[in-house]
């Protein structure tokens, strides 16, 4: 390029391809038709659906009904607001009250399941159907399932060990008095004290008729009486609405869930009138639940021995025998959850013609394969700080969906995003959603939409632990564009089948053996067993990963050539991450896979135990198989033992990664979907800084296209075929940037050399007139600044209108040139190592801008690279720019008093605690960066049918 004069630039180059701010060279002819391949019609149909995705890929929201003090009029209004914003549906979740009853102001808390409440459900179901909105219903209020109908015999139980130190000369002692709801199970005398005892020294003792225990003689040393009882956890339904208060039900008891479905589920389903899509079971947060009334008999039936003599081992963390018994106890809990809660719930849903949507992880100890009892698997972000490449509940759920052939996996998204309600920005939502997409999620359920009645001071009601995603956000005009981005990504990530190289066999049995009474979160225990490094290193090396377990291997997997086939996936690699316990059946199947050419890798150690107590013969078989596979095998397959840090090098030697980034970065992730006519890659930069790299894709014989998730436009990508047949591509990813790359058989147009003059960029930062909606306030701005610096506007939350006229010559509107309105560069902010996720970026637009050029809407700006193509709206001569900017609602919150909950707490008890009040402060708002109009050589779009 050579500058001919200060104002004009001659571009004599190949057509310049701009990829959301990244410039690479590409050949292209604007008027040329693409060569037609046999698959072109199918790709064209895919492109049409991409640009205008089907309704069922729209996001949903969790709709909180507080109290529920709801009215039909406001409910209908909010449903219309959802539809107008592009939202495709909602899940009704009645929660704690936010007001006392004030009938004169239309505020009355409708008692849960009352006729008035059920009428509200019925009205909403009818209106949702009219508006084309999907409707799900939480089968309960708050979480976990429970309520006033759950009597003590149906409530969650726990195993308790009361430790009573024994005086040295004691010969008899009275046991502790039992309280209501407690049952005596067994008693033992053991060597030790209240802090630690030796379970192998425990000797059972029984009470006399008077309830006293005669103590056996024993060697000298401290002794302790271990008194085992079953007890109620005492957990009450969290965040319950008025009338839904009560015990959490026993998730191991079929009687408990059946009563709940009869008392709660049936009236809700009837009120829905056949219009409810799914019943939802929220988080399994039944804290401390680790026993049941029939646990002892169920344990003996399933494990083959009586648990009672071994109860001390559950509380003793030392020794292999203790771990084996804990495994059997925890395994029985998992099976009871499956058989007596999840399966009856799914069966009930099907009998009532609704789907079962469940978050199957947490406490009780749900296994990965527990999702076989679920129609719509759901996850959430396991790490609140947004560590997408670690062990997350969303990847857990999507792995199960893939294994069971379920095409859609949802996530409870945006919980705790940016900590403070109404603090989250459109960029926050996009950046966090991209992480969900990288974890295999393709249905966003936003957490969530707070119902808010009229007359409540702005920004209205909000949920204590979540974002507030509703029309009370001043930036809401950008929501349709944000939603369309999420919708397009969700749609494309449902196409074809997932391409995943590595099946990670979860250390489920080791995790079960590590559980202890009161701490039965299996998902969390698996995370600890996996360690912090193995999953991020596999993903950074360019391998897609999914999780598997014994049940999936036994019933959903078979060996096909040198691949492990599960549903419609084919895994060339299986990794055993530090596995100590596994079953002979699993090892036999993996041996078949490896002997037929598959890659089987064990890290850290080789399996050496069969799971469970008294499994000597099974353990011997495990040892024999491991010895045969890893130490003596001469089969053509690959049997590797390595350390976590060496795993990726070993794999790269044997199997080419799906995508190789050079230089590599843990900040970049991808998801790959395969179709017969296309290879689809979603790629995201999860960091707050620009990343430049070259990506080499394991794709042969296809041409690459960028499918813009924001605009829907499709353009050729700059790529060439390497000598080995792979496809390298330069990537220049802005902070929190994402791309959709599609490889197909459409041939790009031939080269065209462009030689034209374009104007220099025009700085239009000065001379703006600004007014504020709802305020009699105007200001002239000659330099970009926050409107909080304007007198009287520090606490303004709303929309400001920036207006200016500019003169353009023919250079900006000539054929082949795009005019881009650019608002400046963002500044990275420090990223907190812990805490809730937020986009750590100070952007030049705070927080969204809606651009109008000559009276016509051009689009919105709310994410890097903070620019907008306005070519189609400009003309030679005078042009009028009007930019509407919306900030967050936090500034208005900072200018007023915080909510006073004293009266509410006095009447209803403390059902929640406001979070983040210390974060309420006025934030920079408006247009903060230099504003320029930048000319760029136009890239020919690929239109449908080309």
């Amino acid at each position: 390029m050579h500058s001919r004069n200060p104002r004009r630039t001659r571009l004599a180059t190949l057509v310049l391809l701009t990829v959301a701010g990244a410039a690479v060279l590409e050949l292209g002819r604007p008027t040329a038709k693409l060569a037609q391949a046999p698959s072109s019609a199918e790709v064209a149909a895919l492109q049409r659906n991409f640009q205008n995705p089907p309704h069922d890929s729209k996001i949903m929201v969790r709709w909180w009904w507080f109290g529920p003090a709801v009215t039909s009029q406001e409910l209908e209004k909010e449903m219309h607001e959802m539809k107008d914003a592009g939202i495709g549906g909602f899940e009704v979740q009645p929660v704690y009250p936010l007001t006392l009853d004030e009938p004169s102001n239309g505020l009355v808390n409708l008692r849960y399941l009352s006729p008035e409440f059920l009428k509200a459900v019925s009205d909403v179901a009818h209106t949702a159907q009219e508006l084309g909105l999907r409707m799900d219903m939480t089968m309960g209020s708050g979480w976990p399932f429970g309520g006033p109908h759950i009597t003590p015999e149906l409530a969650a139980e726990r195993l308790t060990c009361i430790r009573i130190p024994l005086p040295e000369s004691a010969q008899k002692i009275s046991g502790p008095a039992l309280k209501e709801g407690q049952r005596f199970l067994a008693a033992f005398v053991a060597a030790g004290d209240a802090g630690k005892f030796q379970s192998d020294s425990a000797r059972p003792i029984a009470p006399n008729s008077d309830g006293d225990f005669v103590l056996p003689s024993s060697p000298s040393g401290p002794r302790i009486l271990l008194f085992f009882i079953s007890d109620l956890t005492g957990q009450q339904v969290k965040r319950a609405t008025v009338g839904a208060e009560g015990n959490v039900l026993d998730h191991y008891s079929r009687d408990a869930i059946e009563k709940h479905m009869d008392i709660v589920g049936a009236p809700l389903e009837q009120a829905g009138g056949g219009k409810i899509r799914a019943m939802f079971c929220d988080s399994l947060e039944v804290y401390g639940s680790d026993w049941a009334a029939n646990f002892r008999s169920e344990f003996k039936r399933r494990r083959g021995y009586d648990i009672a003599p071994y109860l001390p081992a559950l509380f003793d963390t030392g020794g292999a025998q203790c771990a084996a018994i804990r495994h059997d106890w925890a395994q029985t809990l998992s099976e009871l959850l499956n058989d007596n809660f999840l399966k009856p719930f799914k069966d009930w849903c099907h009998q009532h013609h609704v789907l079962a949507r469940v978050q199957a992880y947490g406490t009780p100890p749900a296994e990965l394969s527990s999702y076989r009892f679920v129609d719509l698997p759901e996850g959430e972000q396991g790490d609140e700080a947004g560590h997408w490449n670690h062990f997350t509940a969303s990847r857990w759920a999507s792995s199960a969906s893939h294994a069971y052939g379920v095409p859609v996996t949802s996530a409870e998204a945006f919980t705790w995003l940016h900590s403070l309600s109404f603090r989250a920005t459109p960029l926050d939502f996009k950046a966090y959603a991209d992480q969900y997409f990288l974890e295999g999620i393709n249905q966003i359920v936003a957490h969530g939409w707070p119902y808010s009645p009229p007359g409540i001071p702005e920004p209205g009601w909000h949920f204590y632990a979540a974002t507030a995603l509703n029309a009370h956000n001043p930036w809401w005009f950008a929501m349709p564009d944000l939603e369309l981005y999420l919708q397009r990504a969700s749609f494309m990530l449902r196409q074809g089948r997932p391409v995943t190289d590595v099946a990670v066999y979860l250390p489920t049995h080791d995790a079960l053996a590590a559980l202890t009474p009161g701490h039965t979160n299996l998902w969390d225990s698996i995370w600890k067993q996996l360690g912090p490094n193995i999953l991020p290193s596999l993903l950074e090396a360019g391998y897609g990963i999914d999780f598997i377990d014994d049940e999936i291997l036994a019933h959903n997997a078979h060996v096909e050539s040198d691949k492990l086939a599960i549903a419609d996936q084919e895994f060339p690699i299986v990794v055993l991450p530090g596995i100590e316990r596994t079953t002979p059946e699993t090892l036999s199947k993996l041996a078949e896979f490896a002997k037929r050419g598959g890659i089987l890798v064990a890290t850290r150690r080789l399996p050496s135990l069969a799971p469970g107590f008294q499994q000597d013969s099974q353990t011997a078989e495990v040892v024999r198989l491991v010895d045969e596979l890893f130490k003596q095998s001469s089969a053509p397959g690959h049997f590797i033992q390595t350390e976590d840090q060496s795993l990726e090098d070993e794999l790269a030697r044997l199997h080419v990664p799906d995508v190789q980034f050079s230089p590599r970065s843990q900040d970049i992730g991808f998801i790959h979907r395969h179709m017969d006519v296309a290879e689809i890659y979603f790629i995201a930069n999860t960091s707050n800084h620009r990343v430049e790299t070259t990506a080499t894709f394991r794709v042969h014989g296809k041409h690459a296209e960028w499918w813009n998730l924001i605009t829907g436009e499709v353009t050729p990508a700059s790529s060439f075929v390497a000598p080995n047949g792979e496809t390298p591509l330069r990537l220049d990813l802005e902070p929190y940037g994402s791309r959709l790359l599609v490889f197909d058989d459409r041939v790009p147009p031939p080269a065209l050399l462009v030689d034209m003059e374009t104007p220099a960029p025009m700085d239009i930062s000065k001379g703006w007139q600004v007014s504020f909606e709802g305020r009699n306030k105007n200001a002239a701005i000659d330099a970009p600044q926050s409107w909080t610096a304007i007198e009287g506007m520090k606490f303004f939350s709303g929309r400001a209108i920036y207006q200016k006229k500019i003169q353009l010559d023919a250079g900006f509107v000539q054929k082949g040139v795009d005019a881009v309105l650019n608002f400046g560069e963002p500044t990275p902010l420090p990223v907190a190592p812990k805490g809730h996720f937020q986009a750590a970026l100070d952007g030049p637009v705070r927080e969204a801008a809606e651009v109008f050029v000559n009276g016509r809407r051009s689009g919105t700006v709310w994410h890097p690279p903070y620019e907008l193509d306005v070519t189609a709206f400009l003309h030679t001569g005078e042009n009028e720019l009007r930019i509407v900017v919306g900030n967050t609602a936090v500034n208005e919150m900072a200018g007023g008093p915080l909510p006073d909950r004293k009266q509410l707490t006095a009447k209803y008890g403390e059902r929640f605690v406001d979070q983040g009040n210390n974060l309420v402060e006025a934030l920079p708002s408006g247009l903060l960066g230099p504003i320029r109009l930048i000319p760029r050589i136009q890239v020919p779009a690929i239109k449908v049918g080309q």
Side-chain angles (χ1 to χ4, degrees):
M1 299 183 189
H2 303 282
S3 177
R4 294 185 50 159
N5 59 56
R7 290 183 51 81
R8 307 193 74 81
T9 301
R10 173 175 293 278
L11 294 181
T13 183
L14 304 176
V15 171
L16 189 67
L17 173 60
T18 301
V19 184
V24 292
L25 294 180
E26 173 68 0
L27 300 177
R29 185 186 302 276
T31 59
K33 283 276 188 179
L34 290 175
Q36 295 296 304
S39 62
S40 290
E42 295 174 69
V43 176
L46 179 67
Q47 184 176 341
R48 279 192 294 271
N49 284 328
F50 163 74
Q51 291 169 336
N52 297 286
H55 177 274
D56 63 5
S57 54
K58 290 176 178 286
I59 73 165
M60 298 179 66
V61 293
R62 179 171 297 180
W63 195 6
W64 290 297
W65 291 9
F66 298 101
V70 296
T71 66
S72 294
Q73 182 178 2
E74 178 62 26
L75 291 169
E76 182 175 351
K77 172 178 172 289
E78 294 191 9
M79 282 188 282
H80 279 278
E81 290 173 341
M82 292 178 195
K83 184 176 177 65
D84 291 344
I87 293 168
F90 53 84
E91 159 217 319
V92 175
Q93 170 63 282
V95 289
Y96 54 80
L98 280 178
T99 183
L100 302 176
D101 288 347
E102 298 179 16
S104 60
N105 293 325
L107 298 174
V108 177
N109 291 300
L110 308 178
R111 190 169 183 82
Y112 189 62
L113 298 181
S114 66
E116 295 79 10
F117 170 81
L118 294 174
K119 183 180 184 304
V121 172
S122 179
D123 291 345
V124 161
H126 179 75
T127 303
Q129 185 180 59
E130 287 185 339
L131 295 177
L133 298 175
R134 288 167 281 163
M135 177 179 177
D136 291 358
M137 192 85 204
T138 303
M139 192 187 281
S141 166
W143 68 93
F145 285 179
H149 52 287
I150 299 301
T151 51
E153 64 273 13
L154 298 176
E157 294 189 17
R158 63 184 175 187
L159 176 65
T160 300
C161 177
I162 301 173
R163 308 180 188 196
I164 304 175
L166 298 174
E168 186 174 347
S169 59
Q171 298 180 350
K172 186 172 70 170
I173 191 170
S174 297
L178 295 180
K179 301 176 182 177
E180 183 180 358
Q182 295 180 334
R183 294 189 307 275
F184 170 73
L185 300 176
F188 300 80
V189 172
D193 54 34
K196 187 175 182 181
F197 63 86
Q198 300 170 12
S199 62
D200 57 0
S201 72
R203 298 293 178 265
I205 58 173
N208 292 333
S209 57
D210 59 2
D212 291 340
F213 292 87
V214 176
L215 303 176
S217 59
S218 64
S220 59
R223 294 185 301 166
I224 190 168
L225 174 67
L226 306 175
F227 194 81
F228 290 90
I229 62 171
S230 67
D231 192 8
L232 298 180
T233 67
Q235 184 179 3
Q236 302 293 290
V237 174
K238 296 174 68 174
R239 321 307 173 212
T241 195
V242 174
E245 307 89 346
N247 293 320
V248 169
L249 65 80
D250 181 357
H251 284 53
Y252 309 121
S253 165
R254 182 178 288 262
D255 289 343
I257 184 60
E258 287 184 346
K259 184 170 184 180
H260 184 77
M261 293 185 297
D262 182 52
I263 298 296
V264 177
L268 293 176
E269 189 277 327
Q270 186 175 4
K275 302 176 182 67
I276 294 175
R277 182 192 71 140
M279 285 290 179
F280 176 57
C281 174
D282 204 347
S283 305
L284 297 178
E285 298 178 20
V286 192
Y287 301 129
S289 177
D290 54 25
W291 198 257
N294 63 342
F295 184 85
R296 184 174 174 182
S297 61
E298 284 288 346
F299 183 95
K300 187 170 184 179
R301 181 175 72 85
R302 296 165 186 266
R303 306 278 84 86
Y305 65 97
D306 187 2
I307 184 68
Y310 299 100
L311 288 174
L314 300 180
F315 291 82
D316 183 355
T317 57
Q321 176 173 300
C322 295
I325 293 168
R326 285 199 307 273
H327 171 278
D328 288 352
W329 158 77
Q331 180 73 56
T332 303
L333 293 174
S334 291
E335 293 173 4
L336 290 175
L337 171 70
N338 291 338
D339 295 346
N340 292 343
F341 180 80
L342 291 174
K343 187 177 185 301
F345 180 70
K346 182 180 181 181
D347 289 345
W348 184 95
C349 287
H350 289 187
Q351 290 164 10
H352 292 80
H353 310 292
V354 296
L355 299 173
R357 181 174 139 235
V358 181
Q359 297 178 356
Y361 44 86
T363 305
E367 299 179 349
L368 176 67
S369 51
S370 295
Y371 274 114
R372 68 189 185 274
F373 301 111
V374 174
D375 296 311
L376 301 172
E378 180 157 299
E380 60 184 304
Q381 192 71 37
D383 185 330
E384 293 171 348
H387 295 142
W388 62 274
N389 54 358
H390 287 254
F391 184 64
T392 67
S394 286
R395 196 180 298 279
W396 166 275
S398 68
S399 295
S401 289
H402 298 161
Y404 291 111
V406 179
V408 177
T409 310
S410 60
E412 173 193 305
F414 314 134
T415 309
W416 296 108
L417 177 60
H418 221 132
S419 300
L420 177 67
S421 293
F422 289 106
R423 176 61 183 88
T425 69
L427 176 61
D428 286 325
F429 287 107
K430 178 201 179 293
Y432 213 5
D434 286 348
Q435 298 196 15
Y436 288 105
F437 294 142
L438 293 176
E439 296 162 54
I441 295 302
N442 52 20
Q443 173 65 69
I444 296 293
V445 182
H447 190 277
W449 182 293
Y451 172 95
S452 193
I456 301 296
E458 287 296 321
W461 286 349
H462 61 269
F463 193 67
Y464 81 103
T467 54
L469 191 67
N470 65 10
H472 292 267
N473 288 282
W475 53 259
W476 193 247
F477 55 78
M479 185 62 202
D481 292 338
L482 169 61
E483 195 288 325
L484 186 54
Y485 169 84
L486 302 176
Q487 184 184 0
R488 285 183 174 134
S490 298
F491 167 73
M492 293 299 288
L493 294 178
R494 299 178 187 185
Q495 303 311 301
R497 62 173 176 83
V499 178
T500 313
D501 288 333
V502 180
V504 177
Y505 173 72
L506 292 177
T508 303
H509 295 296
D510 295 331
L512 288 168
L515 297 180
T516 58
H519 304 280
T520 57
N521 188 326
L522 177 60
W523 179 85
D524 186 63
S525 184
I526 290 174
W527 188 352
K528 293 173 182 175
Q529 295 289 325
L530 283 170
N533 299 320
I534 190 167
L535 301 183
S537 66
L538 284 169
L539 292 166
E540 184 182 354
Y543 296 102
I545 60 175
D546 261 349
F547 307 135
I548 58 174
D549 66 8
D550 289 319
E551 172 68 27
I552 290 171
L553 280 169
H555 297 101
N556 285 69
H558 65 278
V559 178
E560 198 168 283
S561 183
D562 59 349
K563 304 291 194 301
L564 183 69
I566 301 177
D568 57 359
Q569 295 187 96
E570 294 181 343
F571 296 97
I573 303 165
V574 176
V575 171
L576 310 179
I579 301 296
E580 183 178 17
R581 296 169 181 82
T582 189
T583 67
E585 293 80 10
T586 287
L587 277 179
S588 294
K589 180 158 286 186
L590 294 179
E592 180 191 359
F593 156 73
K595 288 176 180 178
R596 291 175 64 176
I599 302 169
L600 181 62
V601 186
T603 71
R604 287 177 259 160
R605 61 187 173 191
L606 294 173
S608 59
L609 292 173
F613 183 49
Q614 298 176 342
Q615 298 292 326
D616 293 346
S617 62
Q618 295 283 292
T619 291
E621 181 64 6
V622 166
V623 172
R624 185 192 70 78
L625 286 167
V626 167
D627 188 62
E628 176 185 305
L629 285 174
F630 289 92
K631 298 178 182 178
Q632 301 176 9
S633 177
S634 58
H638 302 284
F639 309 86
I640 302 167
Q641 182 184 6
T642 186
E643 297 301 317
D644 285 358
Q645 59 268 28
S646 304
L647 174 60
E648 58 189 81
D649 294 332
E650 292 285 353
L651 292 182
R653 182 173 57 85
L654 299 170
H655 191 79
V656 176
D658 194 354
V659 184
Q660 299 175 72
F661 297 102
S662 180
R664 285 169 43 167
S665 171
Q666 282 199 357
D667 296 325
I668 301 179
F670 73 93
I671 283 285
H672 179 190
R673 306 284 299 191
H674 166 78
M675 300 178 67
D676 291 341
V677 298
E679 302 296 332
I680 300 168
Y681 287 86
F682 175 82
I683 307 162
N685 173 12
T686 64
S687 76
N688 66 343
H689 56 268
R690 182 176 293 277
V691 175
E692 298 183 48
T693 186
T694 296
T696 300
F697 297 85
R698 196 179 58 206
V699 175
H700 301 81
K702 292 184 180 295
H703 300 277
E705 300 167 358
W706 294 119
W707 291 33
N708 192 309
L709 289 161
I710 297 290
T711 66
E713 188 176 64
V714 175
T715 54
S718 174
S719 63
F720 62 92
V721 177
N724 63 359
E726 296 173 344
T727 308
L729 184 69
R730 180 185 166 198
L731 289 178
D732 186 356
L733 295 165
E734 67 276 4
Y736 302 113
S738 56
R739 304 284 187 273
L740 192 74
L741 183 65
V742 178
F743 291 90
D744 57 45
D745 294 326
R746 298 193 292 189
V747 180
L752 177 68
L753 186 67
V754 177
D755 185 1
M756 63 171 58
E757 290 186 348
T758 62
M762 177 186 296
D763 191 318
I764 56 174
S765 303
K766 297 181 179 180
W768 292 89
Q769 294 295 317
V770 184
S771 59
F772 299 88
E773 285 187 356
R775 297 285 187 94
N776 186 22
K777 185 77 175 181
N778 296 282
I781 294 182
D782 281 327
Q785 63 173 321
S786 170
W787 74 52
T788 56
I790 299 173
E791 184 180 356
M793 302 310 295
K794 179 177 181 179
F795 300 114
F796 175 73
S797 287
R799 300 173 186 179
I801 298 93
Y802 292 68
Q803 293 179 291
K804 177 184 176 70
K805 293 180 180 178
I806 59 173
Q807 293 286 333
L808 296 179
D809 61 23
F812 268 100
V813 294
Q814 62 181 306
K815 185 177 180 180
V817 174
D818 284 336
V820 176
L821 189 63
N822 182 282
F823 291 85
E825 292 295 320
T827 302
L829 299 173
V831 179
K834 295 183 179 180
H836 306 307
F837 177 82
Q838 65 186 68
L841 206 65
D842 189 2
V845 177
R846 299 293 301 270
E847 301 300 334
E850 187 173 27
V851 178
F852 297 84
V853 178
N854 295 318
R856 299 163 62 195
R857 186 182 187 274
S858 307
T860 58
V861 179
W862 44 270
H863 61 89
Y866 293 104
E867 61 184 27
L868 185 67
D869 185 346
V870 294
T871 309
F873 308 94
L874 296 173
H875 53 246
T876 304
E878 185 177 85
N879 290 263
E880 182 182 4
L881 303 181
R882 182 165 64 93
I883 303 174
V884 179
V885 181
N887 62 346
T888 72
V890 173
N891 289 28
E892 185 162 354
M893 295 167 64
L898 295 173
D900 185 350
R901 312 292 192 192
K902 293 187 182 68
Q903 288 184 316
L904 196 68
T905 301
K907 181 172 178 61
Y908 295 113
E910 190 175 72
R911 304 195 182 196
F912 70 100
V913 176
D914 286 306
Q915 303 291 304
N917 284 344
N918 60 312
L919 303 175
V920 179
E921 61 178 349
L923 302 169
S925 303
L927 301 179
L928 309 185
I931 306 172
R932 296 182 300 159
L933 195 63
I934 302 175
R936 291 185 183 147
I937 298 298
Q938 198 172 76
V939 180
I942 299 174
K943 295 181 172 56
V944 173
Q946 285 190 307

